[in-house]
Amino acid sequence: MTPPPRGRRRSSSEAPFPDLGPVGEAIPITTGSAELVVESDGSVLLLVNGVPSSHLDPDPEHLVFEYMRWMRTAMRCWAAERRAGDGKDGDGSPRRGLELAVAHLGGAGCALPRTLAHDWPRARQIVVELDALLAEHVRTWFSLPRSPQLRIRVDDAAHALADWRKDRFDVLTRDVFAGDRTPSSLTSVAAARHARRVLTADGLYLANCASRPGSRLLADELTTLSSVFAHVGAIAEPAHLKGRRRGNCVLLASDVPLPASLDRALRSDPVAVRLAAGEDAARIAAPGTVLEGAAQG
């Protein structure tokens, strides 16, 4: 479990989630069980079948899981550079009037969509969650924004991805796991092609990849994305990028250059993290092969 960033302060006006379900006990859901753990700072960890799946803070500005913070940073930099004049207010914060269409493959507690709804209230987000009961619960537990600001679609992520029309979204995220692996239907080259198809011409694809030391998964995923998108990159701690330790890595893919401001922006994260892009990303991808796993559609 990732500790909160150093130096964080919480407003005294913040309150715990008012409609939280039973705490510390297994709650039946469609695909097994869920459990809520309330931390001393008022944040809530959601376990799905015993695995940490989301961590939500009463303050929507705060993301506990580090890879979600990296995704948010990437989106902010992308919005600033690709939506010139609408990306940031004068103080450098995201302009709250910015309209975006964002899709999330994988839902759980919807921690990232909740924060993005705070950042961009006029954005329209859709979250794909396989578990119908979990989707119903988290809306109440975490007071999530309602449709059309945040809609939850109960479906298999690969099926939804193949079903969406061309050029529908500005940003697409992937955070889907079966156990400790992303299903092959979402890592395949066919899935990458679908991702490119549903994104706008300057859209951004962000995917959470977790690989073990000695695994070629990161190289394979980068190679697969490179075969479809013009520009790819990876955000992770240096030891993870070198294959020395397991961890979460955020993969980026787009048909336009990745945000030039992103590497610098990541330096403010509490975790020592860097962006590998261009030649650095090519070196990491060198041992990889294109993943041909079956995808729906």
Side-chain angles (χ1 to χ4, degrees):
M1 187 167 58
T2 306
R6 296 186 297 273
R8 177 175 173 269
R9 295 181 180 179
R10 173 173 297 148
S11 167
S12 60
S13 65
E14 294 175 33
F17 300 99
D19 298 312
L20 206 59
V23 173
E25 62 181 75
I27 303 164
I29 55 175
T30 309
T31 58
S33 66
E35 181 180 345
L36 299 171
V37 178
V38 178
E39 307 290 357
S40 60
D41 63 356
S43 64
V44 180
L45 176 65
L46 170 64
L47 304 172
V48 175
N49 296 321
V51 178
S53 296
S54 294
H55 198 155
L56 290 93
D57 192 273
D59 178 5
E61 283 273 5
H62 178 60
L63 285 169
V64 181
F65 282 176
E66 56 197 29
Y67 73 88
M68 291 187 182
R69 295 200 305 268
W70 305 341
M71 285 184 172
R72 182 194 191 190
T73 298
M75 284 187 61
R76 284 181 161 188
C77 293
W78 170 86
E81 296 186 16
R82 296 300 160 193
R83 298 292 184 264
D86 287 322
K88 289 187 177 181
D89 284 325
D91 63 356
S93 62
R95 177 162 294 174
R96 296 173 64 80
L98 181 61
E99 295 183 5
L100 294 172
V102 184
H104 304 271
L105 301 175
C110 295
L112 179 61
R114 173 176 174 259
T115 293
L116 297 180
H118 175 80
D119 286 345
W120 295 294
R122 293 180 61 185
R124 295 295 178 260
Q125 300 184 75
I126 181 169
V127 175
V128 180
E129 169 54 51
L130 181 65
D131 194 297
L133 277 177
L134 181 62
E136 181 180 337
H137 285 319
V138 298
R139 273 216 172 277
T140 301
W141 292 343
F142 304 124
S143 304
L144 298 177
R146 292 288 176 174
S147 180
Q149 191 178 27
L150 176 56
R151 184 161 71 91
I152 300 179
R153 170 175 173 169
V154 177
D155 199 352
D156 174 81
H159 176 266
L161 179 62
D163 184 58
W164 284 325
R165 62 173 172 79
K166 183 179 179 181
D167 300 329
R168 180 171 177 181
F169 302 108
D170 298 296
V171 179
L172 173 68
T173 76
R174 187 199 78 194
D175 190 14
V176 180
F177 287 88
D180 63 350
R181 292 292 297 268
T182 299
S184 61
S185 59
L186 290 170
T187 61
S188 69
V189 67
R193 290 172 183 145
H194 279 307
R196 184 174 183 265
R197 177 182 57 79
V198 304
L199 284 169
T200 55
D202 64 350
L204 178 65
Y205 182 39
L206 300 167
N208 180 19
C209 172
S211 59
R212 298 186 180 91
S215 167
R216 283 197 343 190
L217 180 59
L218 177 55
D220 288 345
E221 285 234 56
L222 280 174
T223 298
T224 302
L225 291 174
S226 296
S227 72
V228 175
F229 291 89
H231 303 273
V232 301
I235 301 171
E237 295 179 70
H240 179 62
L241 291 174
K242 294 176 181 177
R244 295 175 181 169
R245 63 179 290 259
R246 178 182 171 84
N248 292 95
C249 176
V250 172
L251 306 176
L252 306 90
S254 181
D255 278 337
V256 296
L258 301 180
S261 59
L262 179 53
D263 189 51
R264 179 177 293 276
L266 288 167
R267 296 177 195 174
S268 64
D269 194 87
V271 175
V273 61
R274 73 180 184 90
L275 169 67
E279 292 182 359
D280 288 340
R283 279 193 292 270
I284 296 171
T289 57
V290 174
L291 295 169
E292 300 287 353
Q296 295 192 28

